[in-house]
Amino acid sequence: LENVASKPTGTRWLVLLLISFMYLITYMDRSNISVAAPAIAKEFGLSKTAMGWVFSAFTLAYALGQFPGGWLGDRIGPRKVLTVIMFWWAIAAVSTGAATGLISLLSARFLLGLGEAGAFPVATRGMQLWFPKVERGRIQGITHCFSRFAVAVTPFVAVGIMSAFGWRAIFYIFGSLGAIWAAVFGVIYL
């Protein structure tokens, strides 16, 4: 793929769009838990301390998974690794919605963080292979714009979903989006 960067094609813009949507979906899910937290705590009878553990489970796993995720992206390649990461992530997001109590919720959030950890190092590697050095600042700016936009709109989207269908639907819907993304990316990214 090193030749792709030296001979840019229109496909690279589709790759950038897909990676930008990955940033959007994953950052929306990071924010979803904050919107759903009061309903989750109420349903499971969780204290603020227990909810703190739920939030920390994602972050701890995310920190632990950064290095191995990036390493796998270098070894195996962005297509395979991002496809697996996002399927993993989708299952973990849906598992958050399917949680039955503190232990299953902690497990789902830990698995989500572990799965998502490699997404951004590997996405950066993937974009490096598709874009020449002179464009990399701009493409990083585009992907990061999608992530910040996600954080800005998530409260509105998640509250709308939760009001209509309950807190679990937030995670089912976003998990489904992640699985669809992985399937499309696995086919398009060469």
Side-chain angles (χ1 to χ4, degrees), residues 10-25 127 130-131 139 142-143 146 181 184-185 188-189:
T11 304
R12 67 198 181 116
W13 297 109
L14 180 56
V15 168
L16 176 61
L17 180 65
L18 284 171
I19 290 174
S20 295
F21 277 126
M22 182 201 76
Y23 275 64
L24 181 84
I25 294 166
M127 290 183 289
W130 280 92
F131 288 87
I139 63 160
I142 291 168
T143 58
F146 273 71
W181 183 93
V184 171
F185 183 81
I188 290 176
Y189 188 99

Side-chain angles (χ1 to χ4, degrees), residues 149-164:
F149 178 74
V151 174
V153 301
T154 296
F156 304 106
V157 174
V159 167
I161 293 169
M162 190 167 69
S163 296

Side-chain angles (χ1 to χ4, degrees), residues 3-189:
N3 292 339
V4 174
S6 62
K7 296 179 184 176
T9 67
T11 304
R12 67 198 181 116
W13 297 109
L14 180 56
V15 168
L16 176 61
L17 180 65
L18 284 171
I19 290 174
S20 295
F21 277 126
M22 182 201 76
Y23 275 64
L24 181 84
I25 294 166
T26 56
Y27 268 83
M28 287 184 89
D29 187 68
R30 287 182 188 197
S31 302
N32 285 340
I33 191 74
S34 297
V35 172
I40 293 170
K42 182 178 179 182
E43 182 174 327
F44 296 150
L46 302 178
S47 67
K48 289 182 182 182
T49 302
M51 285 307 296
W53 281 104
V54 170
F55 286 108
S56 294
F58 170 86
T59 308
L60 174 64
Y62 191 86
L64 293 173
Q66 290 274 278
F67 174 74
W71 179 81
L72 282 170
D74 287 339
R75 290 281 287 183
I76 301 171
R79 177 182 182 219
K80 290 178 184 173
V81 175
L82 282 177
T83 300
V84 169
I85 280 173
M86 286 303 286
F87 272 123
W88 172 307
W89 177 90
I91 291 167
V94 168
S95 296
T96 300
T100 58
L102 180 60
I103 300 301
S104 58
L105 187 59
L106 283 170
S107 299
R109 296 311 288 179
F110 187 86
L111 291 173
L112 185 76
L114 199 57
E116 187 177 321
F120 304 107
V122 178
T124 300
R125 173 74 172 142
M127 290 183 289
Q128 173 212 0
L129 296 172
W130 280 92
F131 288 87
K133 287 181 182 179
V134 298
E135 294 180 326
R136 291 184 191 155
R138 177 173 39 148
I139 63 160
Q140 287 291 330
I142 291 168
T143 58
H144 291 306
C145 174
F146 273 71
S147 67
R148 297 332 176 251
F149 178 74
V151 174
V153 301
T154 296
F156 304 106
V157 174
V159 167
I161 293 169
M162 190 167 69
S163 296
F165 307 108
W167 70 265
R168 294 176 187 277
I170 299 169
F171 300 99
Y172 296 150
I173 290 169
F174 280 91
S176 298
L177 291 174
I180 292 166
W181 183 93
V184 171
F185 183 81
V187 170
I188 290 176
Y189 188 99

